[in-house]
Amino acid sequence: MKTMDMKNKNKRKSIYTICCRIAVIILMLFPVFVYAQQSFHSLLETAQYWEKEKNLQSAAYFYKEYITSNSNADIGIYYKCGMLMKELYHYSDAEYYLEKVINSDSVSFYPEALFWLGMVQKNKGKYEDAKYSFLQYQTRYASAENPILQKRVTTELSSFHLISKLLLDTFPVEIKKVESPVNTEYSEFNGIQFYEEALYFSSIRQISNTEHNNILEDFYMSMIITAPYTVNGIIKTVPLPVIINNPKYNNGNFCFNGDKTKLYFTRCPISGKDRNCAIWVSEWANHKWNKPQKLDKIINKPNSNTTQPYLASDDENQIFFFVSDREDGLGGMDIWFSLLNNNDDFSEPVNLGSIVNTQGNEITPFYHTEKQTLYFSSDWHEGLGGFDIFKSKGALSAWEKPVNMGYPINSSANDMYFTINDVDQDGFLTSNRIGSYYMTDETCCNDIYEYRWLGDVIKVQKDTFLIKNIEYISKSINDVLPVTLYFHNDEPDPKSLSTTTSKDYKTTLEEYIAMTDIYKTEYSFGLQGEEKEKAITDIDTFFLKTVGNGFAHLEQITQWLLEDLKQGNNVYLTIIGFASPLHSDDYNARLSSRRISSLKNYIKNQTVFDTYLDTVTVGNKLYFIEDPRGKRFAAEYVSDNPNDVRNSIYSIAAGMERRIQITLYKSEKDTSIKKPVLLVSEKDIIVTQIPETDVYELYIQIKNNGNADLEVKSIFSDNTLAKATVEKQLVQPEEKTFVCIRLSSEIFNLSKEIKINLQSNTKEEYIDIKLNP
């Protein structure tokens, strides 16, 4: 253990300032300050000043000095000091001061002291003492005006059963502190292995030093550091250049993209009015990290803290996880996600929901794509103490109940920043557990620990397929509505009085786009110079963007629509038809109906929708609500003169009137008959053999989306090397369970395809698995 010889009070205050404020590291909310000396009439006045300035480290130091020099200090000062020590994770000091409050005659004025005493006792691993304190709080202050603590104490009391189980059933894993020069007596966190080249991490480090303590204290900041691997291990650490470690900010909490060409990290201003933390990104180009850019406000929401990014990728999406205390969260710090497209545009962030997030704090997300598992830390879910590391299978907004990672991954102190290396299944975590380097308190400061799984473990590849979130689909569709689709004049079926057509919209659209050159010629006819060029450009833009985007949105909505129908819902699409002013009202109403009919044909011609359009069979359906309006709403400035073909047919104004719009999308459960509805998350699966993998486990979620009990009568495989089981045979309405398919690696040499048969009291389903296609 490293300790420091503190020569005077000013030096001790400086150490108190930088050594252990774990919230600096975890939440990046409170920056590390440069301290100029202040003149005060008393230690108490000094403590109160720093507390008002939200400088908890200095406030705690001066409250402690005041209590030491004043034997008659008010018990309220003991309570303040104890609570500050708790916030700083000085567990022994916190326990001492809170016990003073509990044993005083004034304890009734500080009822919460008993609860917080239990929390710090739990942090110290004194579980019997903690349980007693929680029970005393629950018994004495059941009516205390803090409903959150009442709920929290119930969670804490129920956690002791789990604690006993976790301590008895330990995992075969070796936890080892990364030694100097990575870990120091300050705080190190957020360790990430960069291929087999280096360890990247964040650390609070001293960047200036002066002996003139009466003018300026030591200055410390958080920075991102790299530690290259050598044949002799790690022998030096190198901070990233100042373009990343800007001294105006605390810099840390970082991640890389998949190919390590982008660095996402958090910056928290050291001074100024706006101290909120935000995420920035820097790109690697020309053998260096380039000037970082602050992410858009859609991620860095004003007046809130945004930190701890993690970018994960799957076959369909780049998923950007981050932590924030923004509005509409469930607690303090919540985990959110946003989808990132190829143009580096972020979708509107979505909260992970109440299965993962709580009224407490959820932090340090890490998503392992192959395992389809989110690893994160929480101070609310049942755990050993402080922040514990949890894992939850799932994706986007669909998550399983979090599972505590157990002992010794977790301890009674704070454990977070769990990662898995790219090159193996080992990794790193951050903890202030006993054994970490420290300056003033043995649990004050964080170190990076590496973990390594022990024994000849069978290597298992697990893949989970979850039911897609319907609310997410419905919201996505409504976000792009209305979808507008355009037509050539009097199409489809010119000069027809019919209200239906045999053409589908895709065919009509292809014929329309093929006329682009004709439109350019006719619309620019009679124009010269720049006016002619502008008319041609306007037509190109109309066809490429306006017409083209409409069909692109239709294709996307069609995919979402199918997913929604598969969930057993009735879906209602409202389609409005319009026409340009040419022809009579009656003719244009019929023309609008034909245009709506072409869209219906586009959907009907895709056989996957047959079941949902068949009016004979029982089941959920797709319904069309048609509103052919004709020319009633055509703009007055659009020409209705058939002899003026430039303006009445080939102008953009006329083209904008010849349209249909999907304006409303409504999805609801089919309650017309009481029956179970079996949903299978994935029925066509591809499994590719992975070297040195012994077993492949597929977890396929199924759901009863009906209003009667679903009974899984049997499940069997057509191959003896593929074992299929179901977690629950009786599934209640809205309940989910899993089909587990376990494949031996030998199967890849013997088979190309496996079929799993699932029989229930509603229908028979098949799951097809292709091997090394």
Side-chain angles (χ1 to χ4, degrees), residues 538-555:
D538 287 347
I539 292 294
D540 265 332
T541 302
F542 173 69
F543 276 97
L544 287 173
K545 293 189 176 180
T546 306
V547 177
N549 285 347
F551 185 68
H553 287 150
L554 174 62
E555 288 185 307

Side-chain angles (χ1 to χ4, degrees), residues 31 82 92 101 109 115 315 376 387 389 427 459 487 612 629 703:
S92 295
V101 176
F109 294 103
F115 172 83
D315 294 335
F376 66 98
F387 281 95
I389 298 166
K459 189 168 183 181
F487 298 81
Y612 310 110
R629 297 183 178 182
K703 179 184 178 183

Side-chain angles (χ1 to χ4, degrees), residues 467 470 561-571 612 619-623 667-673 675-680 703-707 734 763:
I467 298 289
I470 292 305
L561 170 64
L562 181 60
E563 293 296 337
D564 202 351
L565 289 166
K566 285 179 178 179
Q567 305 292 325
N569 294 325
N570 288 324
V571 176
Y612 310 110
N620 62 302
K621 301 297 175 189
L622 169 60
Y623 299 95
S667 172
E668 62 183 21
K669 272 194 182 303
D670 178 20
T671 57
S672 61
I673 185 171
K675 66 182 190 307
V677 175
L678 172 61
L679 302 182
V680 181
K703 179 184 178 183
N704 180 4
N705 210 42
N707 52 14
E734 295 300 315
K763 64 177 178 179

Side-chain angles (χ1 to χ4, degrees), residues 21 102 177 296 330 361 363 373 482 544 604 656 726 746:
R21 177 58 171 142
I102 299 305
K177 181 174 63 181
D296 191 80
L330 299 179
N361 297 290
I363 59 171
T373 298
L544 287 173
K604 289 177 180 178
M656 295 291 286
V726 64
E746 302 168 38

Side-chain angles (χ1 to χ4, degrees), residues 560-769:
W560 286 331
L561 170 64
L562 181 60
E563 293 296 337
D564 202 351
L565 289 166
K566 285 179 178 179
Q567 305 292 325
N569 294 325
N570 288 324
V571 176
Y572 302 84
L573 282 182
T574 299
I575 310 168
I576 302 176
F578 300 91
S580 67
L582 287 176
H583 303 296
S584 66
D585 285 343
D586 178 67
Y587 184 87
N588 278 324
R590 292 172 180 271
L591 175 58
S592 295
S593 292
R594 294 201 300 278
R595 288 172 174 167
I596 293 172
S597 176
S598 74
L599 173 57
K600 292 167 63 177
N601 291 340
Y602 168 76
I603 295 174
K604 289 177 180 178
N605 289 347
Q606 300 180 56
T607 57
V608 290
F609 289 99
D610 287 350
T611 304
Y612 310 110
L613 296 168
D614 181 4
T615 58
V616 177
T617 58
V618 176
N620 62 302
K621 301 297 175 189
L622 169 60
Y623 299 95
F624 299 102
I625 300 172
E626 303 177 39
D627 183 5
R629 297 183 178 182
K631 68 175 184 178
R632 284 179 292 158
F633 294 92
E636 294 182 359
Y637 56 80
V638 178
S639 174
D640 61 356
N641 181 359
N643 296 316
D644 181 13
V645 294
R646 178 184 184 272
N647 292 306
S648 65
I649 295 178
Y650 295 103
S651 69
I652 293 173
M656 295 291 286
E657 300 298 329
R658 301 190 298 262
R659 70 192 190 278
I660 58 175
Q661 287 184 318
I662 304 173
T663 58
L664 189 63
Y665 179 94
K666 183 180 178 183
S667 172
E668 62 183 21
K669 272 194 182 303
D670 178 20
T671 57
S672 61
I673 185 171
K674 196 171 181 65
K675 66 182 190 307
V677 175
L678 172 61
L679 302 182
V680 181
S681 58
E682 189 62 62
K683 290 186 280 189
D684 295 295
I685 299 172
I686 294 175
V687 180
T688 303
Q689 189 171 15
I690 301 172
E692 299 181 4
T693 299
D694 303 298
V695 174
Y696 299 77
E697 290 182 354
L698 309 177
Y699 294 90
I700 302 161
Q701 193 173 57
I702 63 175
K703 179 184 178 183
N704 180 4
N705 210 42
N707 52 14
D709 287 350
L710 170 69
E711 181 184 356
V712 180
K713 294 185 175 182
S714 65
I715 181 170
F716 54 88
S717 164
D718 65 355
N719 192 306
T720 56
L721 293 177
K723 305 295 184 183
T725 58
V726 64
E727 192 175 62
K728 292 183 69 175
Q729 288 189 298
L730 188 64
V731 187
Q732 296 178 350
E734 295 300 315
E735 189 177 10
K736 299 173 185 175
T737 189
F738 281 93
V739 168
C740 176
I741 303 170
R742 186 178 174 89
L743 311 176
S744 169
S745 59
E746 302 168 38
I747 201 169
F748 289 93
N749 300 322
L750 303 172
S751 303
K752 293 295 182 183
E753 189 171 357
I754 304 163
K755 192 176 289 292
I756 306 297
N757 178 265
L758 182 66
Q759 294 185 350
S760 69
N761 61 338
T762 178
K763 64 177 178 179
E764 187 176 33
E765 289 281 11
Y766 288 93
I767 300 171
D768 292 316
I769 304 172

